[in-house]
Amino acid sequence: MAFTAMHAERGRLDASRDDLGCGWAWAAVHRARPRVPLTCPECGHGVHAKLSPARMRFFAHDAGAPQCTLAGESMEHHLLKLQLAGEIRAAGWLAELEVRAPDGTWRADVMASSPNGARRIAWEAQLSAITEDEIRARTERYAAAGIGVCWVASRPRRWLELPDQSPRAPVSSHHGRRAPSAGLRRRRRHQHGRDYAGRRSGSGPPRR
């Protein structure tokens, strides 16, 4: 399961956006005949458009797919990514799901870009176990690309208190629009019955 797919001519498709991010309606790819050829941006295997019982749009891998990190993410992880993208867009910023570095050194769950494209913040829904060294290494890779990062967890984690490692993420308004961090950097977010703790680079330790 993934929220993004690649098309040879249209480029990157995002199931969380009304026009799929490429000017197409969902009907253009969902149950379309002849079938629209799409591939997974992570593993390159074929994917097809699907709807969950709750009408959530996504792309599913075709049969015989190799092991893919996008397909292995939990439903809680997917839902949190959607919530983050929605909050970022509500703040007036661009939000892209499952954005991969050109050289493959990082892949952001959600990449937030300021209205003028000058600033980027990667939002990571880190619900599985991870070491402090891994957090530092991944944060440093974002920093090398000039990208801030916010780590979001489902419960208090020791690494939420780590010193900042990447560029300061914006918190002030820009052209009358608030930065996504203005709403999302709060210590707790409540979604689907769960509380989420956030750690944003450049913000200092989260307030208790």
Side-chain angles (χ1 to χ4, degrees), residues 141-162:
R141 286 196 289 271
Y142 281 121
I147 300 171
V149 58
C150 178
W151 296 91
V152 182
S154 57
R155 60 182 181 273
R157 301 277 192 175
R158 183 175 178 179
W159 46 260
L160 288 170
E161 308 294 337
L162 290 177

Side-chain angles (χ1 to χ4, degrees), residues 1-4 15 26 48-53 56-60:
M1 174 179 181
F3 292 119
T4 54
W26 179 247
H48 55 282
K50 290 193 70 174
L51 283 175
S52 74
M56 181 177 70
R57 307 189 317 189
F58 66 97
F59 297 102

Side-chain angles (χ1 to χ4, degrees), residues 63-81:
Q67 186 173 3
C68 178
T69 55
L70 286 178
E73 293 178 350
S74 68
M75 181 57 67
E76 183 182 15
H77 190 122
H78 288 305
L79 292 175
L80 181 53
K81 288 195 298 187

Side-chain angles (χ1 to χ4, degrees), residues 96-170:
E96 298 177 283
L97 278 77
E98 303 161 354
V99 176
R100 190 172 184 269
D103 60 2
T105 54
W106 49 261
R107 175 170 59 80
D109 284 333
V110 184
M111 183 64 74
S113 300
S114 61
N116 65 2
R119 298 175 177 178
R120 291 191 295 170
I121 306 172
W123 291 82
E124 292 288 353
Q126 191 60 48
L127 305 184
S128 60
I130 189 171
T131 67
E132 293 181 13
D133 286 343
E134 289 174 309
I135 287 285
R136 288 191 182 94
R138 289 173 60 182
T139 299
E140 287 170 358
R141 286 196 289 271
Y142 281 121
I147 300 171
V149 58
C150 178
W151 296 91
V152 182
S154 57
R155 60 182 181 273
R157 301 277 192 175
R158 183 175 178 179
W159 46 260
L160 288 170
E161 308 294 337
L162 290 177
D164 298 335
Q165 298 291 328
S166 63
R168 183 174 181 83

Side-chain angles (χ1 to χ4, degrees), residues 5-75:
M6 297 300 297
H7 183 266
E9 296 179 359
R10 294 277 178 160
R12 191 171 179 276
L13 278 60
D14 186 337
S16 71
R17 300 180 64 178
D18 290 340
D19 66 349
L20 302 181
C22 68
W24 256 358
W26 179 247
V29 295
H30 183 240
R31 296 184 176 179
R33 294 292 182 270
R35 177 177 160 175
V36 178
L38 302 172
T39 58
C40 173
E42 187 72 12
C43 68
H45 193 75
V47 296
H48 55 282
K50 290 193 70 174
L51 283 175
S52 74
R55 310 296 293 175
M56 181 177 70
R57 307 189 317 189
F58 66 97
F59 297 102
H61 285 72
D62 295 338
Q67 186 173 3
C68 178
T69 55
L70 286 178
E73 293 178 350
S74 68
M75 181 57 67

